[in-house]
Amino acid sequence: MDKLLPLHEPSAQDRRIRLLWLLIAVLFVSLPHLLQVNIWITLMLLGVSAWRYALEYRNWSVPSVWIKVPLVFAALAAVGFTYRSITGVEAGTGLLLVMLALKILETKTGRDLIVVSAICWFLMFAAFLREQQLWAIPYILFGISLSVAALIQIHRVSAVLPARQVITKTAGIIIQALPIMLVLFFLFPRIPAPFWAMSTVGSSAQTGLSDQLNPGDISSLSRSDSVAFRVRFNGAIPPASERYWRGPVMTYFNGREWSWADRGEPILSVEELLVGGTYYEYELMLEPHGREWLLALESPVQWSQNKAYLSANLQLISQIPVRQRIAYTARSYQFVQKQLPDVERHIQAMRHLPSGSNPETLAFALKLRNESSSDSDYLNRILDMFRQQNFYYTLRPPRLGNNPVDQFLFASRRGFCEHYASAFATLARAANIPARVVTGYLGGELNPMNNDLIVRQSDAHAWTEVWIDGNWLRVDPTAAVAPQRIELGLDEALSASDFDFRRNMRNTQLFRQAILSLDAVNAAWNRWVLAFGPEMQQDLLRNAGFDKPDMRDLILLMAISISLLLAALAYYLRFGIRSKKDPLLQTYETFCKKLADSGVIRHRSEGPASFAARASRLRQTDRSHIESITQLYIRLRYESIGSIVPAAELRQLTKLVKAFKPTSD
Amino acid sequence: MVTDLASAKAVTDKLANEVGQIILGKEQEIQLALACILAGGHLLIEDVPGVGKTLMARSLAHSLGLSFSRIQFTSDLMPADVIGVSIYQQNDNRFVFHKGSIFAQMVLADEVNRAAPKSQSALLEAMEEQQVTVDGKSWELPQPFIVIATQNPTHQIGTYPLPESQLDRFLMQIGLGYPSEPLERKLLRGDDRRGTLKSLRPQISGDELPALQHAIKLVQVSEALLDYAQALTRYTREHPDFELGLSPRASIDLVNAARAWALIQGHLGVQPEDLQSVFAAVADHRLRLNSATGAMPGQAAMQVLTEVAIP
């Protein structure tokens, strides 16, 4: 193995510089991991790097095997203890970093250094598990550059290169690699499933809707500015008050929390739906949330996502959890009526209330229903109550106890959308009207940059649907208490006390503009780069004239493209480099160009001295300039020993040529 | 003793001056001949009879202080006449080698193309080997050993033109040409030049010539210049006008000749002009033109020089 490496021992200083380059590369590429893993791993990597460098500096030998072996086991145990596992993304990265630190500690030969730099590449690869956003690209590029630079230094046969030359060489190597990278990006066979099953780390911790709705859930969600999904409408954009994006439909109520129990629901076949009213067509790009539901505008009838179905609750559900950003097109109609096979059984569940909970609400409901003429009248009275009595719409509702609906309706009267939706649905069920709570998003911000509708977690909303006259009817009790929420969005609806600094910031014009621009760039990145999956690849090949591109075509095409690229590169390296002019020649050519502009043209086979003689004859006034430049040039080009031109004299020549202004005819 | 470029240049100046007193108006040719000798090569002078070829050779030998011998090549010249012959000594009962005319530091092979190929090759072998072998025994030639051959233009009757392989062994071929009218008048009016030849004084001794030849190694040859030299030879090999391009020996000779020329010009490094100045003399006799498309004979070198850009 060591045959790959310099046969003679590099000097102590060269070894130090080599190690320093490698350590810088290692620390830089592990940065995104270091910020995530347990602090002791971070400290260990930093400490060991410093230790190893100190050993090199003092010219001490690396720790013996009696220290290393116990260290390995101690580290393994520590990782296992910290993460309760040594597999999985989190523990795996931790283990990788710990072992990297230990490997650094024992680097002795050039081969060890190469192993460490190989780990660098793997760490960069692993960084994509965490972050695939646009900003990761310059970071990764820089990490690659550092690793390449370290590799160059490790492989130097003679002395290490000065930093400047390493940078040039690295840039050269990376530029050579770019076309091949593009070929691989476009042609490497894409597989439909995520390459590694874990996908992005921490998707479980991501904010988003849940399959349960507790009082306070959505109000806490509304503090998050992160994007839930982006929508691009194909044609008309629905008004703000119609932008109800359906998510999990909560049908089961235990007196305190609503939960989604859709798994057993029958699948709705689209043919049985009766649709009407205007419809909207759109492409929705959903950020990963780790759960099964898909978001769709009320009410979806057609969708492009495979392996998705519409439940009896009109909820679009994917058979595989959304662990990656996915895009699908859909068509939603304003009015949808459905013929359910077993309506009675279906709605019966929606009347259920747990016995014994929220007794005040039940009593109140019965009383109010008796006063009302019909179900509709009853529901309207409730909404009137929200509108007319002292109900407040607030982001900071007080905590509620065991009978939250009772407490909300009769005591606190301060709540967010989920409080109103929950209370309204409870009141409806108490009067034997089937009701359910729908969670999802309401509204969204239209980005003027690219006409994308950005729907954020802060747009999360909950509303109610009640069964009236054999059909489900959307009732949004929040509209009764805070109509601005529906028309204008959350910010407008909240009272002044709910504004915090961040919201003020968000509302300044400039900041908003910047956010929207950034989002447009990010959306484009998602749409064209991250979303480049099997479908887009197939489309690309079809456009390129392949009838039914399969895996074999892809591999063949990729092999051909890469071979051609390599051939072109080889040709360039063999013949192209020659055309690269050295600075001395360039300076002289500038000089010739100046004379040519003034009317004295050098023949390509005319030697510098003969040309100078002729030019001096033709331009008597410039004689001394021409001669001193030519003399210096001849000295540098034809009389100097070795091929390296002394920099000082070259500068002098450049200066002379720069100052040279020949008289014209 | 010559140890640096400046003193070498001073010596060559004196030499050129001295020869220039005999051969009038031929400074360029004299310098080329000197460069050829400094580069350690043999010289071929081709021209019509009577323009001073022999005189040139004699005066060079004289001013360089070299032992001189002249072989008149005729159609009946035998190889033994050139290299020598072993004669049976009756007293000692053995063969004794009698050295031929070639055993001199400077040999003038006059009208070399009038001799039969066998005799020509005897000379050319000696030039290459720097020794002669007779009856299985080798005899070293005196050092330095320089051959100046003259030949008449080959289209004259009764000549055996040297084949390309033989021509390649001459580092340079030069012509002298007719003198200009005023100079010819001067000749017509003047004394017998052969008398003046006797008045020439050797400027150096024959032993000093190797030091002078060694001095050309002090002239720098840059990568850029080598690029140019290679571009020139590449052109002759690749261009369809040429049936035969320059050999590697020719390109070595070219660079050496340019070095010597640069020394004579007082340059510290070889400049493209130095290469250009010697190129015709070094290359013209070695290039064979493609008769169908080629340029006029004698213009081949000119064509190469104008076509090839200086890198």
Side-chain angles (χ1 to χ4, degrees), chain A residues 541-606:
Chain A
L541 286 171
R542 261 194 292 277
N543 287 341
F546 283 82
D547 239 7
K548 265 183 146 184
D550 59 5
M551 190 82 103
R552 227 190 50 193
D553 291 340
L554 275 176
I555 291 174
L556 200 68
L557 201 59
M558 192 169 70
I560 292 172
S561 312
I562 289 180
S563 307
L564 284 179
L565 276 176
L566 288 179
L569 196 63
Y571 182 85
Y572 172 76
L573 289 177
R574 171 68 183 77
F575 301 106
I577 296 281
R578 269 172 201 283
S579 64
K580 210 171 100 181
K581 294 276 164 61
D582 67 297
L584 177 61
L585 207 53
Q586 261 172 358
T587 314
Y588 184 66
E589 275 172 5
T590 316
F591 166 71
C592 292
K593 174 99 183 8
K594 283 187 171 181
L595 273 173
D597 289 345
S598 83
V600 189
I601 298 163
R602 185 179 86 99
H603 187 265
R604 63 206 173 110
S605 67
E606 198 171 15

Side-chain angles (χ1 to χ4, degrees), chain A residues 585 602-611 634 637-643, chain B residues 220 222-225 268-273 276 305-311:
Chain A
L585 207 53
R602 185 179 86 99
H603 187 265
R604 63 206 173 110
S605 67
E606 198 171 15
S610 349
F611 177 57
I634 289 175
R637 188 151 171 83
Y638 296 108
E639 295 176 359
S640 60
I641 301 162
S643 55
Chain B
Q220 289 298 328
S222 64
E223 291 296 317
L225 196 276
L268 298 175
V270 183
Q271 296 177 18
E273 284 88 345
Q276 291 172 342
L305 286 181
T306 25
E307 288 299 314
V308 177
I310 298 176

